[in-house]
Amino acid sequence: MRNRKKLLREAGQGYLFMSPTLFVLLLFIIGPILYAIFLSFHKVQLLGTVSFDFVGIDNFTRIADDSRAQIALWNTFKYVAIVVPTQTFLALVLAASLNAGLKGQKFFRIVYFLPTLTSSAVLTLIFMWMYNQNGLINKMLDIVGLPTYNWMGDPSVALNAIMIMNIWSTAPFFMVIYLAALQGIPDSLYEAADLDGANAIQKFFYITVPNLRPVTSFVVIMGIIGTFQLFDQSYIFSAGSGGPNNSTLTVVLLIYQYAFKNLGTMGYAAALAFALAVVILTATVLQRKFSKEESLY
């Protein structure tokens, strides 16, 4: 009995010390998630007379008939499918090259990491200036005799412009993660490969890449979560419209439009947000499952 009271007292003290953190989690994370789920099953009117009309799964079935939602989903999937593999491979190559003992590698590590330190909004504005029809990129393309583009006004190019910008700015962040992981690969593996006559490319694909699988899995998962939530660059590029011709419209930008620009569609926006969370969760679980299966071989 005395031991039980002691355990209860210690547990109470532990929860007391954790109470500020638990309160913050409940107020700013768990509470909003539960409230968003609640809103997704209602038709919500927050301005004027506040009302919550239960509509069941109507908000979710509406997604299948919403052409803009389908466009946003396709744009987001295309963005994820191109950006995640490209930035992962580029980060790995940059990390391997900077870990090879080249002259001045500390200087290049700092230079490569600088884009990550720049604010996303500021970076977008800089690239908008560069993407201008008379901007830096078109002038450089013109100098070398390549065709120039209307980067922000052509629907077939606009999303690609955002992809290029994000690959350039996010690959250095993952490069640092790979650099840290490369320090943990034993030098004896590379020395044994040298004795067997392996060249640099063979050592990269048969030693470096396999030993970095857990890190690659983490990088891919973080990339998937980040790219599915693309919002600020698309918003700034298109002034919040998702244009030109919905070519830069993403799911999160569409959620913003329905939640804050269209009256009476807050519930539908919550349903879109919930559906996006399910898609991200599914993609993450599948990626983890495949990465574990690969590690068995």
Side-chain angles (χ1 to χ4, degrees), residues 81-151:
I82 295 175
V83 171
V84 173
T86 305
Q87 72 183 11
T88 302
F89 179 74
L90 181 60
L92 178 57
V93 171
L94 287 174
S97 62
L98 291 178
N99 195 58
L102 301 176
K103 187 176 181 181
Q105 65 180 14
K106 291 184 179 179
F107 169 77
F108 287 110
R109 286 182 184 183
I110 296 172
V111 171
Y112 289 164
F113 189 70
L114 285 177
T116 306
L117 302 177
T118 308
S119 164
S120 177
V122 173
L123 191 67
T124 305
L125 292 173
I126 292 172
F127 267 82
M128 287 179 67
W129 168 75
M130 293 172 63
Y131 282 140
N132 191 285
Q133 284 189 297
N134 296 318
L136 179 63
I137 294 179
N138 275 343
K139 286 184 177 180
M140 292 177 64
L141 292 174
D142 187 53
I143 289 173
V144 297
L146 295 175
T148 59
Y149 299 95
N150 183 7
W151 295 95

Side-chain angles (χ1 to χ4, degrees), residues 6-25:
K6 183 179 179 181
L7 290 173
L8 288 174
R9 185 171 63 254
E10 290 177 351
Q13 290 173 347
Y15 282 112
L16 179 64
F17 288 130
M18 290 192 302
S19 58
T21 301
L22 293 175
F23 175 76
V24 171
L25 288 174

Side-chain angles (χ1 to χ4, degrees), residues 132-186:
N132 191 285
Q133 284 189 297
N134 296 318
L136 179 63
I137 294 179
N138 275 343
K139 286 184 177 180
M140 292 177 64
L141 292 174
D142 187 53
I143 289 173
V144 297
L146 295 175
T148 59
Y149 299 95
N150 183 7
W151 295 95
M152 294 183 292
D154 188 347
S156 63
V157 178
L159 186 61
N160 296 332
I162 298 178
M163 290 180 188
I164 294 170
M165 180 189 69
N166 276 290
I167 291 170
W168 180 81
S169 62
T170 54
F173 172 75
F174 295 123
M175 175 197 73
V176 174
I177 297 175
Y178 273 124
L179 271 173
L182 285 169
Q183 311 302 316
I185 300 178

Side-chain angles (χ1 to χ4, degrees), residues 8-296:
L8 288 174
R9 185 171 63 254
E10 290 177 351
Q13 290 173 347
Y15 282 112
L16 179 64
F17 288 130
M18 290 192 302
S19 58
T21 301
L22 293 175
F23 175 76
V24 171
L25 288 174
L26 181 63
L27 183 64
F28 295 106
I29 298 179
I30 299 175
I33 291 174
L34 295 177
Y35 186 58
I37 295 174
F38 167 79
L39 291 179
S40 66
F41 293 98
H42 292 77
K43 182 179 180 181
V44 183
Q45 178 64 43
L46 295 179
L47 296 178
T49 304
V50 178
S51 63
F52 300 89
D53 300 323
F54 181 75
V55 294
I57 62 171
D58 287 355
N59 286 329
F60 294 95
T61 57
R62 178 181 169 184
I63 296 175
D65 299 324
D66 188 349
S67 59
R68 296 192 77 231
Q70 294 171 10
I71 292 172
L73 191 61
W74 168 247
N75 287 342
T76 305
F77 269 116
K78 184 168 64 172
Y79 178 84
V80 172
I82 295 175
V83 171
V84 173
T86 305
Q87 72 183 11
T88 302
F89 179 74
L90 181 60
L92 178 57
V93 171
L94 287 174
S97 62
L98 291 178
N99 195 58
L102 301 176
K103 187 176 181 181
Q105 65 180 14
K106 291 184 179 179
F107 169 77
F108 287 110
R109 286 182 184 183
I110 296 172
V111 171
Y112 289 164
F113 189 70
L114 285 177
T116 306
L117 302 177
T118 308
S119 164
S120 177
V122 173
L123 191 67
T124 305
L125 292 173
I126 292 172
F127 267 82
M128 287 179 67
W129 168 75
M130 293 172 63
Y131 282 140
N132 191 285
Q133 284 189 297
N134 296 318
L136 179 63
I137 294 179
N138 275 343
K139 286 184 177 180
M140 292 177 64
L141 292 174
D142 187 53
I143 289 173
V144 297
L146 295 175
T148 59
Y149 299 95
N150 183 7
W151 295 95
M152 294 183 292
D154 188 347
S156 63
V157 178
L159 186 61
N160 296 332
I162 298 178
M163 290 180 188
I164 294 170
M165 180 189 69
N166 276 290
I167 291 170
W168 180 81
S169 62
T170 54
F173 172 75
F174 295 123
M175 175 197 73
V176 174
I177 297 175
Y178 273 124
L179 271 173
L182 285 169
Q183 311 302 316
I185 300 178
D187 292 334
S188 58
L189 295 177
Y190 294 103
E191 292 169 358
D194 288 331
L195 293 175
D196 290 336
N199 57 36
I201 296 177
Q202 290 172 326
K203 287 188 287 186
F204 177 77
F205 283 105
Y206 291 102
I207 297 178
T208 304
V209 173
N211 279 277
L212 292 177
R213 275 179 183 168
V215 179
T216 301
S217 177
F218 170 77
V219 168
V220 170
I221 289 173
M222 294 300 294
I224 289 173
I225 294 172
T227 49
F228 264 115
Q229 296 178 357
L230 174 68
F231 169 73
D232 48 351
Q233 295 95 335
S234 180
Y235 179 88
I236 297 172
F237 257 78
S238 63
S241 67
N245 195 26
N246 292 325
S247 60
T248 60
L249 182 67
T250 62
V251 176
V252 179
L253 179 56
L254 185 65
I255 292 170
Y256 165 81
Q257 292 178 350
Y258 278 123
F260 300 107
K261 286 193 172 183
N262 298 335
L263 297 178
T265 55
M266 178 67 77
Y268 180 54
L272 280 170
F274 184 74
L276 178 62
V278 172
V279 170
I280 294 175
L281 178 62
T282 303
T284 302
V285 170
L286 288 175
Q287 198 283 328
R288 283 181 58 85
K289 183 176 184 299
F290 289 142
S291 64
K292 286 182 180 179
E293 287 179 353
E294 288 177 0
S295 64
L296 296 176

